Each structure stands twice: as C-alpha cells, then as structure tokens.
Amino acid sequence: MFDELSEKIKNARIIPVVKMDDTEKAVPLAKALLEGGISAIEITFRTTEGEAGYKKIAECIKKVSTEVPQMLVGAGTVINPSLAEKAVEAGAQFIVSPGFNPSTVDWCIAKNVPVYPGVNNPSLVEVALEKGLSVLKFFPAEVSGGTKMLKALAGPFPTVKFMATGGISEKNVKEYFGCKNLVAVGGSWMVSETLINEKNWQEITRLSKEALAALD
C-alpha cells in the first residue's frame, strides 16, 4: 500500500522534522533544504495554541506545497483524523503520527492518503500489517532500542520497512542506514528552531549537504 510515495521517501533518505508556524519562513526553509539536496519535509502539528496554532501550521504546509512543488511535503504529529483532514486539505502528501491511532489510520486508508503510524514493538507492527501497511515510523527510535531493535524486527517481519525518528543526529545517522529494513530517517538537527528563527538558511543548506554526505 502506498508504494509510490514510499519509494519517494526512500529516495529522499533524510526527512527533516520541522516545528514551524510562521508562514513567512516556510518557503525559504523549503528552498534551503532543496539547495542542500533534501527533497522531503515533515511539518509537525506541534502547538500549545489549539486550533489557532493548527491553522498556522496548516498554512505553512499549504505555502510549501504550492510554492515549492519540488518538495515532498508531509504532516507530522498527526494524532487524530481531524488533524489528518486539516493536513490533507492544506496539501500534505503523506501523514506521520507518533503512535498508532486506528482512527487516524482508517481515515487515511479510506481517503487513499499515505500514512506512516509510529510503532516501536512487534505487537504494533502486527496491528499495522493487519491494516495493510508495510512501511511504518519507528518512534522513538533511540530510546526504543535504536538499530538493535530495527535489526531484531527484521527477522519476524521481513517485508516491513521503517522510517526511524527520535534521537537521530549527524552522529548516528549512518549507523541507521546499515539496517536493511530502513527506508529513511527523520531528524531535526539541520532544522533547529534556533536556525529557523534566525533565518539562517545558509547554515541549514550546509547542514543538509553534510547530512547527506555522511551517508556515502
């Protein structure tokens, strides 16, 4: 299920996980990532402002999806069907969630929207397989066993692939790509809030290039 989108994510390799609600910074950020060779982005629905905050985040997704069409845009921290709907209406091409919410997964499947729910143990992998999903988010990666857990899951689930997120940085990213069941990693070290707030697009581009170079 969702094979075409999963292939694009695999080709992207690194997906920056971005916390942003300022529409003026969304497009410059996306362009800085593209210049650094990164072709996918996950904009997260993380806010303490409720509906007003979600609206700002959705607007950021919309700006990137319409003004930077070369960028594959996903929505992260989608914890219910309502947020999934907001994300898709804004132009998100895929949905990522920190955990496995059957309601969110069912909504996405019914709407034919690629969804990557978070799992970190065999039981949740089995639940996902029952829904027809075979590419999942492994979260929180490092505290859930990191590469050791990924390799352990490869045995009983040889057809399942993972996007690993949580605790991944320039120090361990290459180690994750040593796992045969990994399609991509998510990380925020090249898109820190400080760099975004300072509008340091040049440094974001540099860190993006450095991150991809570390995989070769």
Side-chain angles (χ1 to χ4, degrees):
M1 189 178 291
F2 312 133
D3 291 343
E4 185 178 345
L5 197 286
S6 295
E7 189 65 24
K8 290 181 179 179
I9 286 174
K10 180 180 179 181
N11 291 337
R13 299 197 289 175
I14 295 177
I15 303 174
V17 178
V18 178
K19 183 178 183 294
M20 168 181 284
D21 59 8
D22 186 340
T23 56
E24 290 185 5
K25 296 172 184 170
V27 169
L29 171 63
K31 289 181 176 179
L33 290 171
L34 275 178
E35 191 174 339
I38 288 180
S39 58
I41 186 173
E42 176 187 329
I43 299 176
T44 61
F45 276 97
R46 297 179 186 176
T47 181
T48 57
E49 297 179 20
E51 286 300 317
Y54 292 143
K55 186 176 181 180
K56 292 177 186 176
I57 294 164
E59 194 59 34
C60 289
I61 292 172
K62 185 176 181 179
K63 291 276 282 186
V64 175
S65 63
T66 55
E67 296 186 33
V68 194
Q70 311 97 304
M71 181 66 76
L72 181 66
V73 186
T77 320
V78 177
I79 58 175
N80 55 53
S82 176
L83 285 180
E85 186 171 8
K86 284 182 172 65
V88 172
E89 287 179 351
Q93 295 161 273
F94 63 97
I95 299 296
V96 184
S97 58
F100 196 105
N101 183 335
S103 297
T104 304
V105 170
D106 289 345
W107 185 92
C108 290
I109 290 173
K111 301 293 184 179
N112 200 32
V113 176
V115 59
Y116 303 96
V119 304
N120 69 346
N121 63 63
S123 296
L124 288 173
V125 174
E126 289 191 19
V127 174
L129 285 170
E130 197 169 76
K131 296 286 188 182
L133 304 178
S134 59
V135 181
L136 308 169
K137 176 176 178 173
F138 177 51
F139 178 83
E142 277 292 277
V143 299
S144 298
T147 56
K148 289 183 179 179
M149 176 62 89
L150 279 175
K151 290 172 182 177
L153 291 171
F157 305 112
T159 62
V160 178
K161 304 295 182 184
F162 297 93
M163 292 190 292
T165 306
I168 298 175
S169 69
E170 69 277 12
K171 296 177 182 178
N172 59 9
V173 63
K174 190 169 185 177
E175 181 185 351
Y176 274 86
F177 277 90
C179 299
K180 294 180 180 179
N181 55 347
L182 185 92
V183 294
V185 300
S188 57
W189 73 93
M190 76 293 291
V191 286
S192 70
E193 285 189 65
T194 299
L195 288 175
I196 292 172
N197 288 336
E198 292 175 351
K199 300 182 181 180
N200 195 342
W201 313 127
Q202 187 175 356
E203 180 65 4
I204 288 171
T205 294
R206 187 191 71 78
L207 289 172
S208 298
K209 289 179 179 178
E210 187 178 80
L212 290 173
L215 305 181
D216 298 329

